[in-house]
Amino acid sequence: MAIARPVRALALAVFLVCCFFLYTIWRPDNSIKSSADFHGTIERDPNLDLTGEPEGKLVRAGEGYAPGIAGTARINATILALVRNKELDAMLQSMQDLERTWNSKFNYPWTFFNDEPFTEEFKRRTRAATKAETRYEIIPKEHWDVPSWINDDLYKESVKILEENDIQYASMISYHKMCRWNSGLFYKHPALADIQYYWRVEPNVHFFCDVDYDVFRYMQDNNKTYGFTISLYDAPQSIPTLWPETNKFLTQHPEYLHENRAEAWLTDKERRPVHWEEANGYSTCHFWTNFEIADMNFWRSQAYEDYFNHLDRAGGFFYERWGDAPVHSIALGLFEDKTKIHWFRDIGYQHIPFFNCPNSPKCRGCVTGRFTDGEAWLNKEDCRPNWFKYAGMY
Protein backbone atom coordinates (compact mmCIF):
# COMPACT_ATOMS: atom_id res chain seq x y z
CA MET A 1 0.00 0.00 0.00
CA ALA A 2 1.53 3.33 -1.06
CA ILE A 3 2.02 6.04 1.57
CA ALA A 4 0.36 9.33 0.71
CA ARG A 5 2.75 12.14 -0.29
CA PRO A 6 1.71 14.46 2.62
CA VAL A 7 2.46 11.65 5.09
CA ARG A 8 5.88 11.04 3.51
CA ALA A 9 6.64 14.76 3.67
CA LEU A 10 5.61 14.88 7.33
CA ALA A 11 7.78 11.85 8.13
CA LEU A 12 10.75 13.46 6.39
CA ALA A 13 10.20 16.70 8.30
CA VAL A 14 10.08 14.81 11.61
CA PHE A 15 13.29 12.97 10.67
CA LEU A 16 15.11 16.21 9.84
CA VAL A 17 13.95 17.86 13.08
CA CYS A 18 15.23 14.86 15.05
CA CYS A 19 18.60 15.03 13.25
CA PHE A 20 18.91 18.73 14.01
CA PHE A 21 18.02 18.10 17.65
CA LEU A 22 20.68 15.41 17.99
CA TYR A 23 23.24 17.64 16.27
CA THR A 24 22.60 20.49 18.69
CA ILE A 25 23.16 18.08 21.58
CA TRP A 26 26.33 16.40 20.32
CA ARG A 27 28.11 19.12 18.36
CA PRO A 28 31.19 20.66 19.99
CA ASP A 29 30.10 23.82 21.82
CA ASN A 30 32.93 26.31 22.16
CA SER A 31 30.76 29.36 22.66
CA ILE A 32 31.70 31.43 25.70
CA LYS A 33 30.22 34.71 26.85
CA SER A 34 32.46 37.50 28.08
CA SER A 35 32.36 38.18 31.82
CA ALA A 36 34.35 39.95 34.52
CA ASP A 37 36.79 37.05 34.50
CA PHE A 38 36.77 36.11 30.83
CA HIS A 39 37.76 38.42 28.01
CA GLY A 40 38.12 36.46 24.82
CA THR A 41 36.64 33.99 22.39
CA ILE A 42 37.58 30.68 20.85
CA GLU A 43 36.65 31.19 17.22
CA ARG A 44 38.04 27.94 15.90
CA ASP A 45 39.74 25.04 17.63
CA PRO A 46 42.90 24.06 15.69
CA ASN A 47 41.93 20.43 16.29
CA LEU A 48 39.25 20.93 13.63
CA ASP A 49 42.02 21.18 11.03
CA LEU A 50 43.27 17.94 9.56
CA THR A 51 45.98 16.62 11.84
CA GLY A 52 48.91 14.46 10.80
CA GLU A 53 52.04 13.34 12.57
CA PRO A 54 54.49 15.94 13.88
CA GLU A 55 57.25 17.24 11.68
CA GLY A 56 60.77 16.03 12.29
CA LYS A 57 62.44 12.66 12.56
CA LEU A 58 60.03 9.81 13.40
CA VAL A 59 61.03 6.25 14.27
CA ARG A 60 58.62 3.43 13.41
CA ALA A 61 58.06 0.10 15.11
CA GLY A 62 60.12 -2.87 14.00
CA GLU A 63 61.91 -5.95 15.27
CA GLY A 64 63.97 -3.77 17.60
CA TYR A 65 60.83 -3.06 19.61
CA ALA A 66 60.00 -6.67 20.41
CA PRO A 67 59.23 -7.40 24.09
CA GLY A 68 62.08 -8.25 26.41
CA ILE A 69 65.80 -8.14 25.69
CA ALA A 70 65.17 -8.30 21.93
CA GLY A 71 63.89 -4.72 22.11
CA THR A 72 67.22 -3.07 21.39
CA ALA A 73 65.64 -0.01 19.71
CA ARG A 74 64.00 1.25 22.90
CA ILE A 75 65.71 4.11 24.68
CA ASN A 76 65.87 4.66 28.45
CA ALA A 77 62.23 5.59 28.97
CA THR A 78 59.18 4.30 30.81
CA ILE A 79 55.45 4.74 31.15
CA LEU A 80 54.90 5.99 34.69
CA ALA A 81 51.82 5.73 36.91
CA LEU A 82 51.15 6.71 40.52
CA VAL A 83 48.25 4.47 41.47
CA ARG A 84 46.62 2.80 44.48
CA ASN A 85 45.54 -0.83 44.65
CA LYS A 86 41.87 0.18 44.79
CA GLU A 87 42.29 1.95 41.42
CA LEU A 88 43.16 -1.28 39.62
CA ASP A 89 40.15 -1.38 37.28
CA ALA A 90 40.58 2.29 36.36
CA MET A 91 44.30 1.71 35.73
CA LEU A 92 43.52 -1.24 33.48
CA GLN A 93 41.20 0.99 31.46
CA SER A 94 44.08 3.40 30.84
CA MET A 95 46.51 0.59 30.08
CA GLN A 96 44.19 -1.05 27.58
CA ASP A 97 43.73 2.21 25.68
CA LEU A 98 47.42 3.08 25.56
CA GLU A 99 48.46 -0.46 24.68
CA ARG A 100 45.92 -0.57 21.86
CA THR A 101 46.86 2.79 20.38
CA TRP A 102 50.63 2.84 20.96
CA ASN A 103 52.56 0.63 23.34
CA SER A 104 51.68 -2.75 21.84
CA LYS A 105 53.93 -1.62 18.95
CA PHE A 106 56.85 -0.36 21.07
CA ASN A 107 56.66 -2.30 24.35
CA TYR A 108 58.07 0.31 26.71
CA PRO A 109 58.01 -0.79 30.37
CA TRP A 110 55.30 0.27 32.79
CA THR A 111 56.54 1.54 36.17
CA PHE A 112 53.89 1.71 38.88
CA PHE A 113 54.38 3.71 42.08
CA ASN A 114 52.45 3.46 45.34
CA ASP A 115 53.00 4.57 48.92
CA GLU A 116 52.11 1.03 50.04
CA PRO A 117 52.91 -2.41 48.56
CA PHE A 118 50.97 -3.49 45.51
CA THR A 119 48.72 -6.51 45.93
CA GLU A 120 49.33 -9.72 44.03
CA GLU A 121 46.05 -9.16 42.21
CA PHE A 122 47.23 -5.74 41.03
CA LYS A 123 50.47 -7.23 39.75
CA ARG A 124 48.82 -10.22 38.09
CA ARG A 125 46.17 -8.24 36.23
CA THR A 126 48.46 -5.42 35.08
CA ARG A 127 51.04 -7.93 33.83
CA ALA A 128 48.29 -9.58 31.81
CA ALA A 129 47.38 -6.24 30.18
CA THR A 130 50.71 -5.78 28.37
CA LYS A 131 53.52 -7.70 26.70
CA ALA A 132 55.97 -5.16 28.08
CA GLU A 133 57.87 -5.37 31.33
CA THR A 134 56.01 -4.17 34.45
CA ARG A 135 57.74 -2.76 37.51
CA TYR A 136 56.22 -2.14 40.94
CA GLU A 137 57.83 0.40 43.24
CA ILE A 138 57.13 1.75 46.74
CA ILE A 139 57.68 5.46 47.36
CA PRO A 140 60.30 5.99 50.09
CA LYS A 141 58.81 7.19 53.36
CA GLU A 142 60.98 10.32 53.33
CA HIS A 143 59.54 11.27 49.93
CA TRP A 144 55.90 10.87 50.97
CA ASP A 145 55.70 12.02 54.57
CA VAL A 146 54.84 15.60 55.49
CA PRO A 147 58.19 17.41 55.88
CA SER A 148 59.33 18.38 59.35
CA TRP A 149 59.06 22.13 58.77
CA ILE A 150 55.30 22.04 58.14
CA ASN A 151 53.35 23.28 61.18
CA ASP A 152 50.35 21.02 61.75
CA ASP A 153 48.21 23.71 63.40
CA LEU A 154 48.87 26.12 60.55
CA TYR A 155 48.08 23.37 58.04
CA LYS A 156 44.70 22.71 59.67
CA GLU A 157 43.84 26.42 59.70
CA SER A 158 44.91 26.70 56.07
CA VAL A 159 42.65 23.82 55.10
CA LYS A 160 39.67 25.69 56.55
CA ILE A 161 40.45 28.69 54.35
CA LEU A 162 40.82 26.49 51.28
CA GLU A 163 37.49 24.80 52.01
CA GLU A 164 35.79 28.18 52.44
CA ASN A 165 36.96 28.92 48.90
CA ASP A 166 35.62 25.56 47.64
CA ILE A 167 39.07 24.24 46.72
CA GLN A 168 38.79 20.60 45.74
CA TYR A 169 40.72 18.02 47.84
CA ALA A 170 41.72 20.76 50.33
CA SER A 171 41.35 18.50 53.37
CA MET A 172 42.95 15.39 51.81
CA ILE A 173 46.48 15.25 53.18
CA SER A 174 47.28 12.48 50.67
CA TYR A 175 46.45 14.87 47.83
CA HIS A 176 48.88 17.47 49.17
CA LYS A 177 51.54 14.76 49.49
CA MET A 178 50.87 13.59 45.94
CA CYS A 179 51.22 17.11 44.52
CA ARG A 180 54.54 17.56 46.29
CA TRP A 181 55.84 14.16 45.15
CA ASN A 182 54.81 14.74 41.54
CA SER A 183 56.36 18.21 41.63
CA GLY A 184 59.83 17.48 42.84
CA LEU A 185 60.46 13.98 44.15
CA PHE A 186 59.24 11.31 41.72
CA TYR A 187 62.30 11.55 39.47
CA LYS A 188 64.57 10.99 42.49
CA HIS A 189 63.23 7.47 43.04
CA PRO A 190 66.05 4.91 42.68
CA ALA A 191 63.99 2.96 40.13
CA LEU A 192 64.22 5.94 37.76
CA ALA A 193 67.92 6.65 38.25
CA ASP A 194 68.83 5.39 34.77
CA ILE A 195 65.65 6.60 33.06
CA GLN A 196 65.58 9.84 31.08
CA TYR A 197 62.10 10.05 29.51
CA TYR A 198 58.67 9.18 30.89
CA TRP A 199 55.04 9.23 29.81
CA ARG A 200 52.77 9.88 32.76
CA VAL A 201 49.47 7.99 32.73
CA GLU A 202 46.75 8.16 35.35
CA PRO A 203 43.87 5.75 36.09
CA ASN A 204 40.64 6.17 34.12
CA VAL A 205 41.95 8.19 31.20
CA HIS A 206 41.27 7.50 27.54
CA PHE A 207 43.43 7.45 24.41
CA PHE A 208 41.65 7.64 21.07
CA CYS A 209 44.22 7.77 18.26
CA ASP A 210 46.70 5.30 16.81
CA VAL A 211 50.24 6.62 17.27
CA ASP A 212 52.67 4.88 14.94
CA TYR A 213 55.99 6.42 15.97
CA ASP A 214 58.15 6.16 19.09
CA VAL A 215 57.19 9.27 21.07
CA PHE A 216 60.28 9.00 23.26
CA ARG A 217 62.56 8.92 20.22
CA TYR A 218 60.62 11.88 18.86
CA MET A 219 61.45 13.82 22.02
CA GLN A 220 65.10 12.81 21.88
CA ASP A 221 65.72 13.19 18.15
CA ASN A 222 63.91 16.53 17.88
CA ASN A 223 65.38 18.09 21.02
CA LYS A 224 62.12 18.38 22.95
CA THR A 225 61.93 18.70 26.71
CA TYR A 226 58.21 18.49 27.42
CA GLY A 227 55.04 17.36 25.67
CA PHE A 228 51.41 18.13 26.59
CA THR A 229 47.90 17.77 25.17
CA ILE A 230 45.73 20.06 27.34
CA SER A 231 46.39 23.45 28.95
CA LEU A 232 44.04 24.90 31.58
CA TYR A 233 43.58 27.71 34.09
CA ASP A 234 44.00 26.82 37.75
CA ALA A 235 41.84 27.89 40.70
CA PRO A 236 43.63 31.06 41.88
CA GLN A 237 42.49 30.61 45.48
CA SER A 238 44.54 27.40 45.61
CA ILE A 239 47.84 29.14 44.74
CA PRO A 240 47.73 32.79 45.93
CA THR A 241 51.40 32.90 47.00
CA LEU A 242 52.93 30.64 44.33
CA TRP A 243 53.79 33.50 41.96
CA PRO A 244 55.05 35.84 44.72
CA GLU A 245 57.31 33.03 45.95
CA THR A 246 58.46 32.47 42.37
CA ASN A 247 59.37 36.14 42.10
CA LYS A 248 61.36 35.91 45.34
CA PHE A 249 63.27 33.00 43.84
CA LEU A 250 63.91 34.87 40.58
CA THR A 251 65.28 37.84 42.51
CA GLN A 252 67.87 35.47 43.96
CA HIS A 253 68.50 33.56 40.71
CA PRO A 254 67.93 35.72 37.62
CA GLU A 255 70.58 33.63 35.83
CA TYR A 256 68.10 30.75 35.49
CA LEU A 257 65.72 32.68 33.20
CA HIS A 258 65.87 31.45 29.60
CA GLU A 259 66.14 34.15 26.95
CA ASN A 260 63.45 32.46 24.82
CA ARG A 261 61.06 31.72 27.68
CA ALA A 262 57.25 31.74 27.66
CA GLU A 263 56.87 34.19 30.54
CA ALA A 264 54.13 36.15 28.75
CA TRP A 265 51.98 33.00 28.84
CA LEU A 266 52.41 32.89 32.61
CA THR A 267 51.70 36.57 33.22
CA ASP A 268 48.92 37.38 30.73
CA LYS A 269 46.07 39.19 32.48
CA GLU A 270 43.87 40.06 29.51
CA ARG A 271 41.99 36.78 29.12
CA ARG A 272 41.24 35.99 32.78
CA PRO A 273 41.84 39.24 34.71
CA VAL A 274 40.29 38.08 37.98
CA HIS A 275 42.44 34.96 37.93
CA TRP A 276 45.51 37.13 37.37
CA GLU A 277 44.59 39.43 40.26
CA GLU A 278 43.72 36.68 42.75
CA ALA A 279 46.89 34.75 41.85
CA ASN A 280 48.94 37.94 42.36
CA GLY A 281 50.24 38.33 38.84
CA TYR A 282 50.07 34.74 37.57
CA SER A 283 47.65 33.92 34.75
CA THR A 284 47.22 30.43 36.35
CA CYS A 285 47.79 28.86 32.91
CA HIS A 286 49.37 25.44 33.17
CA PHE A 287 49.88 22.20 31.30
CA TRP A 288 47.50 19.56 32.60
CA THR A 289 50.08 17.17 33.96
CA ASN A 290 47.95 14.03 34.18
CA PHE A 291 49.33 13.73 30.65
CA GLU A 292 52.97 14.63 30.22
CA ILE A 293 55.79 13.21 28.16
CA ALA A 294 59.01 14.70 29.42
CA ASP A 295 62.76 14.59 29.77
CA MET A 296 63.63 14.14 33.44
CA ASN A 297 66.95 15.89 32.90
CA PHE A 298 65.00 19.15 33.10
CA TRP A 299 63.66 18.30 36.57
CA ARG A 300 67.15 17.16 37.57
CA SER A 301 68.72 20.45 36.49
CA GLN A 302 70.17 22.82 39.07
CA ALA A 303 67.63 25.49 38.15
CA TYR A 304 64.63 23.26 38.80
CA GLU A 305 66.15 21.64 41.87
CA ASP A 306 66.78 25.05 43.44
CA TYR A 307 63.30 26.24 42.45
CA PHE A 308 61.53 23.22 43.91
CA ASN A 309 63.52 23.41 47.15
CA HIS A 310 62.59 27.09 47.51
CA LEU A 311 58.89 26.30 47.03
CA ASP A 312 59.07 23.26 49.30
CA ARG A 313 60.48 25.31 52.16
CA ALA A 314 57.81 27.97 51.64
CA GLY A 315 55.19 25.36 52.58
CA GLY A 316 52.61 26.04 49.89
CA PHE A 317 52.14 22.37 49.02
CA PHE A 318 50.39 22.09 52.41
CA TYR A 319 49.37 25.58 53.50
CA GLU A 320 47.81 26.13 50.08
CA ARG A 321 47.18 23.56 47.38
CA TRP A 322 50.08 24.04 45.02
CA GLY A 323 49.81 21.37 42.37
CA ASP A 324 52.48 19.81 40.22
CA ALA A 325 50.73 21.27 37.15
CA PRO A 326 51.37 24.95 37.93
CA VAL A 327 54.79 24.20 39.47
CA HIS A 328 55.99 22.25 36.42
CA SER A 329 54.46 24.78 34.05
CA ILE A 330 55.94 27.85 35.71
CA ALA A 331 59.38 26.25 35.69
CA LEU A 332 59.08 25.29 32.03
CA GLY A 333 57.76 28.73 31.12
CA LEU A 334 60.68 30.47 32.83
CA PHE A 335 63.70 28.17 32.57
CA GLU A 336 63.24 26.41 29.22
CA ASP A 337 63.28 27.42 25.56
CA LYS A 338 59.60 27.52 24.57
CA THR A 339 60.36 25.84 21.24
CA LYS A 340 61.31 22.70 23.19
CA ILE A 341 57.77 22.36 24.52
CA HIS A 342 55.57 20.33 22.16
CA TRP A 343 51.80 20.12 21.78
CA PHE A 344 51.01 16.48 20.96
CA ARG A 345 47.96 17.46 18.97
CA ASP A 346 47.88 14.06 17.23
CA ILE A 347 47.41 12.12 20.49
CA GLY A 348 43.71 11.90 21.27
CA TYR A 349 43.24 12.06 25.03
CA GLN A 350 40.60 12.51 27.72
CA HIS A 351 40.81 13.08 31.43
CA ILE A 352 37.32 13.93 32.64
CA PRO A 353 35.97 16.45 31.72
CA PHE A 354 38.46 17.66 29.06
CA PHE A 355 39.58 16.30 25.68
CA ASN A 356 42.24 16.65 23.06
CA CYS A 357 40.51 15.26 19.98
CA PRO A 358 42.24 15.85 16.62
CA ASN A 359 40.79 15.62 13.14
CA SER A 360 42.51 12.44 12.02
CA PRO A 361 41.49 9.13 10.41
CA LYS A 362 43.61 7.49 13.12
CA CYS A 363 41.18 8.60 15.86
CA ARG A 364 38.05 6.84 17.08
CA GLY A 365 35.70 7.49 19.99
CA CYS A 366 35.90 11.27 20.49
CA VAL A 367 34.29 14.28 18.82
CA THR A 368 36.72 16.28 16.70
CA GLY A 369 37.41 19.70 18.20
CA ARG A 370 35.39 19.12 21.35
CA PHE A 371 37.27 20.46 24.37
CA THR A 372 34.79 19.28 27.00
CA ASP A 373 31.61 17.23 27.21
CA GLY A 374 30.60 19.15 30.34
CA GLU A 375 28.84 22.48 30.66
CA ALA A 376 29.61 25.11 28.03
CA TRP A 377 31.22 27.43 30.61
CA LEU A 378 34.05 24.91 30.99
CA ASN A 379 35.37 26.04 27.60
CA LYS A 380 36.73 29.21 29.20
CA GLU A 381 39.13 27.01 31.19
CA ASP A 382 41.05 26.31 27.98
CA CYS A 383 44.41 28.08 28.05
CA ARG A 384 45.69 26.68 24.74
CA PRO A 385 44.77 29.91 22.89
CA ASN A 386 47.21 31.83 25.08
CA TRP A 387 49.91 29.20 24.61
CA PHE A 388 49.50 29.44 20.84
CA LYS A 389 49.50 33.24 21.07
CA TYR A 390 52.70 33.56 23.08
CA ALA A 391 54.60 30.40 22.21
CA GLY A 392 53.22 29.01 18.95
CA MET A 393 52.48 25.42 18.01
CA TYR A 394 55.71 23.42 18.29
Side-chain angles (χ1 to χ4, degrees):
M1 180 178 177
I3 300 175
R5 181 173 297 175
V7 175
R8 293 199 303 269
L10 179 60
L12 178 60
V14 170
F15 174 75
L16 292 174
V17 168
C18 290
C19 289
F20 178 76
F21 176 72
L22 291 173
Y23 171 74
T24 59
I25 292 176
W26 293 107
R27 68 178 177 179
D29 183 3
N30 291 335
S31 60
I32 314 170
K33 295 180 179 179
S34 292
S35 65
D37 190 35
F38 181 76
H39 299 169
T41 59
I42 301 177
E43 295 181 1
R44 178 179 174 80
D45 192 313
N47 271 329
L48 292 170
D49 299 328
L50 189 63
T51 297
E53 295 177 330
E55 296 180 357
K57 182 179 179 181
L58 301 177
V59 176
R60 308 293 177 181
E63 292 182 2
Y65 286 101
I69 60 174
T72 55
R74 283 188 292 275
I75 62 174
N76 55 336
T78 189
I79 304 166
L80 185 154
L82 174 62
V83 56
R84 297 187 181 279
N85 289 305
K86 65 183 180 182
E87 297 174 303
L88 173 57
D89 288 339
M91 191 71 240
L92 289 171
Q93 149 63 49
S94 303
M95 289 186 72
Q96 289 161 3
D97 268 17
L98 190 56
E99 287 289 328
R100 172 178 51 82
T101 57
W102 181 71
N103 200 44
S104 61
K105 292 163 270 193
F106 297 96
N107 295 294
Y108 274 95
W110 288 82
T111 305
F112 299 100
F113 290 95
N114 196 345
D115 65 320
E116 59 185 27
F118 284 104
T119 64
E120 289 305 311
E121 180 189 12
F122 187 100
K123 294 177 182 179
R124 175 177 55 81
R125 293 180 65 189
T126 50
R127 285 179 184 135
T130 178
K131 297 177 295 181
E133 179 186 359
T134 54
R135 305 164 182 170
Y136 305 90
E137 305 293 343
I138 298 177
I139 299 171
K141 191 172 184 294
E142 62 271 20
H143 286 181
W144 194 256
D145 284 354
V146 177
S148 60
W149 56 87
I150 297 301
N151 182 291
D152 188 58
D153 291 334
L154 181 56
Y155 165 71
K156 291 175 181 176
E157 289 301 313
S158 301
V159 165
K160 292 178 183 178
I161 296 172
L162 291 170
E163 289 181 324
E164 288 171 2
N165 285 294
D166 296 322
I167 298 302
Q168 195 174 23
Y169 311 124
S171 62
M172 290 180 60
I173 189 66
S174 61
Y175 192 86
H176 292 266
K177 292 177 178 180
M178 177 192 71
C179 290
R180 177 176 180 257
W181 185 79
N182 277 326
S183 293
L185 295 168
F186 79 93
Y187 52 87
K188 297 177 182 178
H189 195 287
L192 299 177
D194 297 323
I195 302 295
Q196 182 175 352
Y197 296 94
Y198 69 97
W199 184 336
R200 176 172 161 182
V201 176
E202 292 197 352
N204 201 32
V205 299
H206 293 270
F207 297 93
F208 302 105
C209 308
D210 292 329
V211 180
D212 297 319
Y213 59 93
D214 183 340
V215 298
F216 296 126
R217 282 293 302 272
Y218 172 79
M219 298 287 287
Q220 181 185 72
D221 295 344
N222 296 280
N223 196 24
K224 300 295 183 182
T225 297
Y226 190 85
F228 73 98
T229 52
I230 295 169
S231 175
L232 300 174
Y233 289 89
D234 209 345
Q237 299 92 342
S238 69
I239 50 172
T241 67
L242 177 56
W243 190 250
E245 283 297 335
T246 298
N247 281 326
K248 289 180 186 178
F249 175 77
L250 295 177
T251 299
Q252 300 168 13
H253 294 285
E255 71 276 12
Y256 290 148
L257 289 170
H258 198 285
E259 62 181 9
N260 194 34
R261 60 190 179 274
E263 186 172 358
W265 173 65
L266 299 171
T267 58
D268 174 83
K269 72 173 184 178
E270 294 180 8
R271 194 172 179 87
R272 301 295 296 274
V274 176
H275 271 53
W276 181 89
E277 182 177 353
E278 293 183 350
N280 293 296
Y282 172 35
S283 68
T284 76
C285 281
H286 62 273
F287 306 118
W288 214 21
T289 51
N290 46 68
F291 175 109
E292 57 183 6
I293 300 173
D295 181 347
M296 281 188 278
N297 285 343
F298 179 81
W299 313 129
R300 292 164 176 155
S301 69
Q302 194 62 54
Y304 188 78
E305 180 70 8
D306 289 347
Y307 179 59
F308 171 74
N309 286 337
H310 177 93
L311 297 182
D312 200 23
R313 282 287 174 176
F317 292 109
F318 296 93
Y319 301 144
E320 296 177 10
R321 199 208 63 185
W322 295 355
D324 52 278
V327 171
H328 279 188
S329 302
I330 289 173
L332 287 159
L334 295 175
F335 310 143
E336 186 54 285
D337 183 338
K338 62 188 177 185
T339 66
K340 293 186 177 181
I341 300 172
H342 177 67
W343 178 37
F344 276 104
R345 64 184 301 171
D346 58 314
I347 299 181
Y349 177 71
Q350 181 201 23
H351 183 296
I352 296 172
F354 298 109
F355 291 81
N356 184 70
C357 189
N359 180 2
S360 169
K362 293 187 176 186
C363 301
R364 299 173 299 279
C366 62
V367 178
T368 299
R370 170 175 281 173
F371 179 68
T372 178
D373 57 359
E375 298 293 332
W377 63 265
L378 286 170
N379 284 292
K380 74 175 183 292
E381 302 304 321
D382 185 5
C383 195
R384 291 174 308 157
N386 267 11
W387 178 256
F388 303 148
K389 175 181 177 180
Y390 292 114
M393 295 185 192
Y394 295 105

